[in-house]
Amino acid sequence: MKTVKIRLLGLIILIALTSNFVMGQSDTKIRYTESAELFINDTPLYGKTKVKKLIANIGEPSKKVDYPSGEISYFYEEIGVVFFTKDGTVKGLGINFNWDGDEKFPEKTYTGTLNLGDSEIEKDTKSESIAAIKSIEFICPIPMMCASKDREAQINCTAAFKDEKLTQVVFIIK
Protein backbone atom coordinates (compact mmCIF):
# COMPACT_ATOMS: atom_id res chain seq x y z
CA MET A 1 0.00 0.00 0.00
CA LYS A 2 2.87 2.33 0.90
CA THR A 3 4.54 1.65 -2.47
CA VAL A 4 1.36 2.61 -4.35
CA LYS A 5 1.07 5.88 -2.43
CA ILE A 6 4.73 6.74 -3.08
CA ARG A 7 4.36 5.96 -6.81
CA LEU A 8 1.15 7.99 -6.95
CA LEU A 9 2.85 10.91 -5.21
CA GLY A 10 5.82 10.62 -7.59
CA LEU A 11 3.46 10.65 -10.58
CA ILE A 12 1.65 13.75 -9.26
CA ILE A 13 4.97 15.55 -8.72
CA LEU A 14 6.14 14.59 -12.23
CA ILE A 15 2.91 15.89 -13.77
CA ALA A 16 3.17 19.15 -11.81
CA LEU A 17 6.79 19.71 -12.84
CA THR A 18 6.04 18.89 -16.47
CA SER A 19 3.03 21.24 -16.46
CA ASN A 20 5.13 24.08 -15.02
CA PHE A 21 7.83 23.48 -17.62
CA VAL A 22 5.37 23.46 -20.52
CA MET A 23 3.49 26.51 -19.20
CA GLY A 24 6.77 28.35 -18.74
CA GLN A 25 7.69 27.62 -22.34
CA SER A 26 4.43 28.92 -23.80
CA ASP A 27 5.02 32.69 -23.40
CA THR A 28 3.96 34.57 -26.50
CA LYS A 29 6.78 36.48 -28.17
CA ILE A 30 5.99 39.16 -30.74
CA ARG A 31 8.77 40.94 -32.63
CA TYR A 32 8.60 43.80 -35.13
CA THR A 33 11.98 44.20 -36.79
CA GLU A 34 13.81 47.17 -38.28
CA SER A 35 12.97 45.74 -41.72
CA ALA A 36 9.23 45.91 -40.85
CA GLU A 37 8.85 42.15 -40.44
CA LEU A 38 6.46 40.78 -37.83
CA PHE A 39 6.96 37.50 -35.97
CA ILE A 40 4.87 35.69 -33.39
CA ASN A 41 6.78 32.92 -31.61
CA ASP A 42 9.38 33.06 -34.43
CA THR A 43 6.70 32.44 -37.09
CA PRO A 44 6.47 35.29 -39.62
CA LEU A 45 3.15 37.07 -40.20
CA TYR A 46 2.84 38.65 -43.62
CA GLY A 47 0.20 39.58 -46.19
CA LYS A 48 -0.67 35.98 -47.06
CA THR A 49 -0.67 34.37 -43.60
CA LYS A 50 -3.75 32.19 -43.32
CA VAL A 51 -5.88 31.97 -40.20
CA LYS A 52 -5.29 28.20 -40.10
CA LYS A 53 -1.53 28.75 -39.73
CA LEU A 54 -2.15 31.26 -36.97
CA ILE A 55 -4.37 28.84 -35.03
CA ALA A 56 -1.79 26.07 -35.51
CA ASN A 57 0.82 28.41 -33.99
CA ILE A 58 -1.01 29.77 -30.93
CA GLY A 59 -4.10 27.61 -30.57
CA GLU A 60 -7.84 28.11 -30.73
CA PRO A 61 -9.15 31.61 -29.99
CA SER A 62 -11.29 32.27 -26.93
CA LYS A 63 -13.80 34.15 -29.07
CA LYS A 64 -14.48 35.01 -32.69
CA VAL A 65 -16.42 38.10 -33.81
CA ASP A 66 -17.85 38.59 -37.33
CA TYR A 67 -18.34 42.18 -38.53
CA PRO A 68 -20.65 43.39 -41.35
CA SER A 69 -17.56 44.52 -43.32
CA GLY A 70 -16.51 40.88 -43.70
CA GLU A 71 -13.74 41.23 -41.14
CA ILE A 72 -13.47 38.48 -38.54
CA SER A 73 -11.58 39.08 -35.31
CA TYR A 74 -10.01 36.19 -33.42
CA PHE A 75 -9.62 37.06 -29.74
CA TYR A 76 -7.06 35.44 -27.47
CA GLU A 77 -8.34 36.98 -24.24
CA GLU A 78 -6.01 35.11 -21.92
CA ILE A 79 -2.88 36.55 -23.56
CA GLY A 80 -4.36 39.97 -24.48
CA VAL A 81 -4.22 39.84 -28.30
CA VAL A 82 -6.64 39.93 -31.21
CA PHE A 83 -6.08 39.11 -34.88
CA PHE A 84 -8.02 40.93 -37.58
CA THR A 85 -8.72 38.84 -40.67
CA LYS A 86 -10.43 39.15 -44.01
CA ASP A 87 -11.15 36.31 -46.43
CA GLY A 88 -9.22 33.84 -44.24
CA THR A 89 -6.03 35.95 -44.25
CA VAL A 90 -4.48 37.78 -41.29
CA LYS A 91 -4.64 41.55 -41.91
CA GLY A 92 -3.69 42.85 -38.50
CA LEU A 93 -2.68 42.14 -34.94
CA GLY A 94 -3.84 44.12 -31.92
CA ILE A 95 -2.15 43.94 -28.53
CA ASN A 96 -3.84 45.32 -25.42
CA PHE A 97 -1.79 46.85 -22.61
CA ASN A 98 -4.17 49.10 -20.65
CA TRP A 99 -7.75 48.54 -21.83
CA ASP A 100 -9.52 51.78 -22.71
CA GLY A 101 -13.00 50.34 -23.35
CA ASP A 102 -12.43 49.57 -27.06
CA GLU A 103 -14.47 46.41 -27.62
CA LYS A 104 -12.38 45.45 -30.65
CA PHE A 105 -9.60 44.60 -28.21
CA PRO A 106 -9.38 42.09 -25.37
CA GLU A 107 -9.76 43.50 -21.86
CA LYS A 108 -6.86 41.52 -20.41
CA THR A 109 -3.34 42.96 -20.53
CA TYR A 110 -0.86 41.30 -22.90
CA THR A 111 1.09 38.62 -21.04
CA GLY A 112 3.98 37.96 -23.44
CA THR A 113 6.92 39.97 -24.68
CA LEU A 114 6.76 42.59 -27.42
CA ASN A 115 9.87 43.94 -29.08
CA LEU A 116 9.77 46.89 -31.46
CA GLY A 117 13.22 46.78 -32.98
CA ASP A 118 15.71 46.78 -30.14
CA SER A 119 13.22 47.88 -27.45
CA GLU A 120 10.96 45.80 -25.23
CA ILE A 121 7.51 47.36 -24.85
CA GLU A 122 5.56 47.06 -21.60
CA LYS A 123 2.31 48.46 -20.20
CA ASP A 124 4.23 51.38 -18.63
CA THR A 125 5.98 52.39 -21.89
CA LYS A 126 5.53 56.10 -22.73
CA SER A 127 5.23 57.69 -26.17
CA GLU A 128 8.67 59.27 -25.68
CA SER A 129 10.15 55.77 -25.41
CA ILE A 130 8.49 54.69 -28.66
CA ALA A 131 9.73 57.85 -30.42
CA ALA A 132 13.25 57.15 -29.13
CA ILE A 133 13.54 53.65 -30.65
CA LYS A 134 16.73 53.74 -32.71
CA SER A 135 16.27 50.74 -34.99
CA ILE A 136 12.78 51.70 -36.26
CA GLU A 137 11.80 55.27 -36.93
CA PHE A 138 8.51 56.27 -35.32
CA ILE A 139 6.68 59.57 -35.54
CA CYS A 140 4.42 60.78 -32.75
CA PRO A 141 2.41 63.67 -34.22
CA ILE A 142 0.17 63.90 -31.14
CA PRO A 143 0.76 62.69 -27.56
CA MET A 144 -1.81 59.93 -27.93
CA MET A 145 -0.44 58.30 -31.14
CA CYS A 146 2.87 57.02 -32.51
CA ALA A 147 3.29 55.28 -35.87
CA SER A 148 6.12 53.70 -37.81
CA LYS A 149 7.38 56.31 -40.27
CA ASP A 150 7.84 54.08 -43.34
CA ARG A 151 4.31 54.12 -44.79
CA GLU A 152 5.48 52.01 -47.77
CA ALA A 153 6.43 49.07 -45.55
CA GLN A 154 4.35 45.91 -45.89
CA ILE A 155 3.61 46.01 -42.15
CA ASN A 156 3.02 49.23 -40.24
CA CYS A 157 2.87 49.68 -36.49
CA THR A 158 0.91 52.17 -34.39
CA ALA A 159 0.85 52.68 -30.65
CA ALA A 160 -2.06 54.42 -28.93
CA PHE A 161 -2.02 56.18 -25.55
CA LYS A 162 -4.71 57.49 -23.21
CA ASP A 163 -3.85 59.63 -20.20
CA GLU A 164 -0.17 58.93 -21.01
CA LYS A 165 -0.72 55.16 -20.63
CA LEU A 166 -0.04 52.77 -23.50
CA THR A 167 -3.40 51.27 -24.47
CA GLN A 168 -2.79 49.31 -27.67
CA VAL A 169 -0.14 48.44 -30.21
CA VAL A 170 -1.53 47.54 -33.62
CA PHE A 171 0.14 46.05 -36.69
CA ILE A 172 -1.51 46.53 -40.07
CA ILE A 173 -0.47 43.95 -42.66
CA LYS A 174 -0.82 44.93 -46.33
Side-chain angles (χ1 to χ4, degrees):
M1 185 67 153
K2 220 176 202 185
T3 306
V4 172
K5 286 182 181 179
I6 291 173
R7 284 186 181 169
L8 183 58
L9 180 61
L11 181 61
I12 291 170
I13 290 171
L14 180 63
I15 290 171
L17 289 173
T18 304
S19 296
N20 285 338
F21 177 76
V22 170
M23 293 299 277
Q25 297 296 317
S26 66
D27 286 341
T28 306
K29 294 179 179 111
I30 299 172
R31 287 185 302 124
Y32 183 63
T33 69
E34 52 276 347
S35 56
E37 295 173 293
L38 182 61
F39 295 87
I40 184 163
N41 298 336
D42 294 323
T43 299
L45 293 178
Y46 53 93
K48 295 183 180 173
T49 301
K50 298 292 183 190
V51 173
K52 289 179 185 178
K53 183 175 182 179
L54 173 72
I55 291 171
N57 184 342
I58 61 173
E60 290 293 326
S62 55
K63 135 174 129 170
K64 188 172 118 177
V65 177
D66 296 314
Y67 295 99
S69 65
E71 179 183 292
I72 301 173
S73 291
Y74 291 82
F75 285 77
Y76 290 82
E77 285 283 348
E78 287 305 308
I79 60 172
V81 300
V82 59
F83 290 89
F84 311 107
T85 70
K86 183 112 181 190
D87 301 323
T89 303
V90 178
K91 295 296 182 186
L93 164 61
I95 304 168
N96 180 64
F97 284 94
N98 292 288
W99 196 61
D100 63 359
D102 188 341
E103 292 185 8
K104 287 197 170 195
F105 285 82
E107 290 184 40
K108 190 166 181 184
T109 298
Y110 178 59
T111 59
T113 57
L114 170 62
N115 288 92
L116 299 181
D118 54 5
S119 296
E120 187 167 326
I121 306 304
E122 298 173 338
K123 69 185 284 180
D124 298 324
T125 300
K126 305 284 184 217
S127 63
E128 298 82 24
S129 299
I130 302 279
I133 294 174
K134 300 278 186 232
S135 57
I136 302 169
E137 194 170 357
F138 280 87
I139 56 173
C140 302
I142 55 176
M144 54 192 294
M145 182 69 64
C146 292
S148 52
K149 186 174 180 180
D150 184 2
R151 305 313 293 161
E152 301 302 314
Q154 289 299 304
I155 301 174
N156 291 119
C157 176
T158 62
F161 300 84
K162 182 177 181 182
D163 300 327
E164 296 187 19
K165 287 186 172 185
L166 177 63
T167 55
Q168 297 117 5
V169 174
V170 177
F171 298 95
I172 304 299
I173 303 169
K174 298 177 186 173

